[in-house]
Amino acid sequence: MKKYIVAAFCSSMVVISYAQKAPVKTAPKTPAKTTTAKTSTTAKPATSTTILKTKDDSLSYAIGLSVANFYKQQGIKLNTAMVTRALNDIVTQKKPLLTDDQANLVFMCHSNPQICTNVTEGESFLVKNKKSTNVKTTASGLQYEVVTQGTGMKPGPVDTVTVNYKGTLLNGEEFDNSYKRGQPISFPLNGVIRGWTEGLQLMPVGSKYKFYIPYQLGYGLNDMQAIPGGSVLVFEVELLDVKKAQ
């Protein structure tokens, strides 16, 4: 920058010297010299090399390009302010606005809006059902009613149980029924959905309970055969026997 100023200054001095020697009537004006000096001080535009100064800069920008191009191809218009906030919340270890489960629900609902309908209907049902005097709710959100209270032993988390059961959706649609098959089923409690693992440990042998299982304790947000993703499951379960784990 100093070189440009010195060159302009020297040029001006030459012109002035010439003007003093030449007749006044022929002395040229030199506005162009002033313009040249101003142009020479104009800042150069930033380039990729001045912005991407480190390998981390380049990698970070490449990740941003990849994410932006991916979602652009999906037809998703990103709110870059929210994307930036989410990145900053994680990097600075601030509490995110959404939990991992909530974020997953947002993604799933975008790809399949029916899931959101199932989740909303299920949550609304559980809120109302919780107010029933016959319904008890555990810390996990599992709800249950005691239909018949047995007097036998209760199973542990890895014990094998033998049960009869019927499973339905909130609309009453039946998706499984061991009674109709004419044969109870046996399985270890650590090999089934979380709602069953928790719920059956509440039951003494000889009991019959009715469980209302939130999707988080059931099959989650994915479809499972006749069970739509995000569904609350209703089970009537009769505990027939328990075999303690060895």
Side-chain angles (χ1 to χ4, degrees):
M1 186 67 72
K2 291 182 178 179
K3 290 181 180 179
Y4 289 122
I5 295 174
V6 170
F9 176 75
C10 290
S11 298
S12 299
M13 293 302 294
V14 170
V15 171
I16 292 170
S17 175
Y18 173 79
Q20 289 175 343
K21 293 179 181 180
V24 175
K25 63 179 180 180
T26 59
K29 296 181 180 180
T30 58
K33 297 299 180 179
T34 304
T35 303
T36 301
K38 290 183 178 180
T39 302
S40 66
T41 60
T42 302
K44 294 182 179 180
T47 64
S48 61
T49 56
T50 61
I51 297 175
L52 305 177
K53 297 180 180 180
T54 67
K55 289 182 178 180
D56 286 344
D57 290 345
S58 297
L59 178 60
S60 298
Y61 190 79
I63 291 172
L65 283 179
S66 177
V67 171
N69 283 326
F70 174 80
Y71 286 108
K72 182 179 180 180
Q73 292 171 4
Q74 306 303 312
I76 299 174
K77 185 177 181 180
L78 294 177
N79 182 332
T80 55
M82 287 294 99
V83 173
T84 301
R85 175 163 181 174
L87 291 171
N88 288 334
D89 285 346
I90 297 301
V91 171
T92 60
Q93 297 184 337
K94 291 182 180 179
K95 183 179 180 180
L97 300 179
L98 297 174
T99 64
D100 288 345
D101 287 341
Q102 289 171 333
N104 186 43
L105 176 59
V106 171
F107 278 116
M108 295 294 287
C109 287
H110 176 78
S111 61
N112 184 358
Q114 182 59 44
I115 290 177
C116 267
T117 300
N118 297 339
V119 169
T120 301
E121 291 177 350
E123 290 176 344
S124 177
F125 169 83
L126 292 172
V127 168
K128 294 178 181 178
N129 196 53
K130 186 177 182 178
K131 298 176 182 179
S132 174
T133 56
N134 297 325
V135 173
K136 298 179 181 180
T137 304
T138 69
S140 69
L142 174 68
Q143 296 182 357
Y144 68 96
E145 292 182 60
V146 177
V147 180
T148 303
Q149 184 71 1
T151 57
M153 67 184 300
K154 292 182 179 180
V158 296
D159 292 342
T160 296
V161 298
T162 300
V163 301
N164 263 322
Y165 67 93
K166 179 178 75 171
T168 64
L169 303 175
L170 289 181
N171 61 7
E173 182 179 343
E174 186 177 290
F175 57 81
D176 201 1
N177 192 326
S178 68
Y179 294 102
K180 290 184 177 179
R181 292 195 297 269
Q183 184 176 353
I185 186 172
S186 298
F187 51 82
L189 273 186
N190 60 352
V192 290
I193 59 175
R194 291 167 57 196
W196 273 54
T197 301
E198 179 184 356
L200 267 79
Q201 291 183 73
L202 303 173
M203 301 176 64
V205 171
S207 298
K208 185 175 183 179
Y209 282 19
K210 188 173 185 178
F211 294 110
Y212 305 92
I213 302 178
Y215 76 88
Q216 299 94 328
L217 304 179
Y219 293 107
L221 297 173
N222 296 308
D223 294 345
M224 178 59 66
Q225 298 180 357
I227 302 173
S231 296
V232 169
L233 308 178
V234 182
F235 282 101
E236 294 179 15
V237 183
E238 186 179 1
L239 181 57
L240 305 176
D241 190 26
V242 173
K243 289 186 178 180
K244 302 300 290 184
Q246 300 298 320

